[in-house]
Amino acid sequence: IIEIVDARKKPSTPAMKVRLTGEYASNRHKAEMLAMEIEETHIRDIAKVESSTEDMCVCGYPNKRELLRRGIGEEQVIDKIKSLDMPIQEEDAKLKIYTRNNSYHELLRLEERVANMLVHGIEGIRRAIVRKSPDGEYMLYTEGSALKKMSKIEGVDFSRTTTNNIAEIAEVLGIEAARNAIIDEMMNTLEEQGLDVDARHVTLIADAMTVEGEVKQIGRHGLAGEKASVLSRAAFEVTVDNLLEAAIHGE
């Protein structure tokens, strides 16, 4: 709830519930293939990457089993590494990527860059798990959120897909959707904790936060800091600063 009323751009645990259409919703295998498709895969997940000071190069050893499991071809990995525009040498079971100048610092940076390259999937979606929903359909739960990119993926029912990232909802679906998301998230959190709060309190907060067409936080950098009355601003936070500021401007 603190995250929501602070209107943080990035929640600490972004997550999505992705509903599926047609065969994807009824066939577990298809749903799992889709989960693999969207889960981000970096080179470090499918290959062992280490630097060699002897040759001043970074060696990559692709893991064939992992490549097969994720449905990624070795060519895809090689093409991705080639996009670095570095000298590359291919040996039977490994790739050698050479640095341009032979500095150790440069070698370590190259190792990190290679290991963190995204080969497959959607950036930001760290994991995707297939679960059965109460209505008997298969759906995906993801760790990480990328609402805009999900709209373009075949098999995803975008109209029923939700995320807990309110800033993302405001950007993709608009301010009314963000207002509804604030209400839903807050009511669900309160109900989970067994707290009985009247929904009208929460709707009032959501309205106040979104009334100007963007999601504003409630704190001193948002709603409370914009109040017309000097005393109500001073009563909220940083009292002395508010009173000094008001005195300077003759408020």
Side-chain angles (χ1 to χ4, degrees), residues 21-111:
T21 58
E23 279 189 316
Y24 293 93
S26 55
N27 181 332
R28 188 179 182 101
H29 177 65
K30 278 213 145 188
E32 280 171 354
M33 292 300 285
L34 185 65
M36 283 284 181
E37 192 68 32
I38 64 172
E39 201 173 286
E40 65 176 16
T41 303
H42 295 94
I43 287 180
R44 61 169 181 266
D45 303 324
I46 49 169
K48 186 178 166 195
V49 179
E50 53 189 34
S51 51
S52 152
T53 43
E54 260 174 58
D55 308 336
M56 286 312 271
C57 72
V58 173
C59 299
Y61 304 90
N63 181 335
K64 292 212 163 73
R65 269 183 62 189
E66 200 56 38
L67 284 168
L68 197 67
R69 190 177 79 82
R70 294 175 188 254
I72 301 167
E74 270 190 61
E75 304 74 39
Q76 207 176 330
V77 181
I78 293 165
D79 287 347
K80 193 72 191 175
I81 292 173
K82 278 182 179 166
S83 70
L84 279 172
D85 204 24
M86 292 283 192
I88 294 172
Q89 189 184 333
E90 287 179 48
E91 288 180 17
D92 34 302
K94 68 177 175 182
L95 289 166
K96 286 182 167 182
I97 305 123
Y98 292 90
T99 54
R100 291 215 182 282
N101 51 8
N102 288 342
S103 82
Y104 182 61
H105 187 65
E106 185 73 24
L107 185 70
L108 293 179
R109 274 186 37 208
L110 182 63
E111 183 186 359

Side-chain angles (χ1 to χ4, degrees), residues 127-195:
R127 275 189 76 202
I129 302 165
V130 178
R131 291 263 174 88
K132 215 168 193 174
S133 63
D135 57 12
E137 284 185 3
Y138 289 109
M139 60 185 289
L140 306 181
Y141 285 83
T142 72
E143 186 186 317
S145 175
L147 193 61
K148 201 171 200 165
K149 288 175 182 164
M150 290 308 274
S151 63
K152 299 181 180 77
I153 287 172
E154 188 197 340
V156 170
D157 184 350
F158 188 63
S159 63
R160 293 187 299 155
T161 292
T162 57
T163 171
N164 64 356
N165 186 339
I166 294 184
E168 209 170 55
I169 290 177
E171 185 193 329
V172 179
L173 299 170
I175 196 70
E176 283 296 327
R179 171 189 176 270
N180 287 336
I182 291 171
I183 296 166
D184 280 351
E185 289 290 327
M186 287 179 81
M187 289 309 291
N188 290 342
T189 309
L190 292 164
E191 278 162 21
E192 271 173 23
Q193 302 303 317
L195 299 168

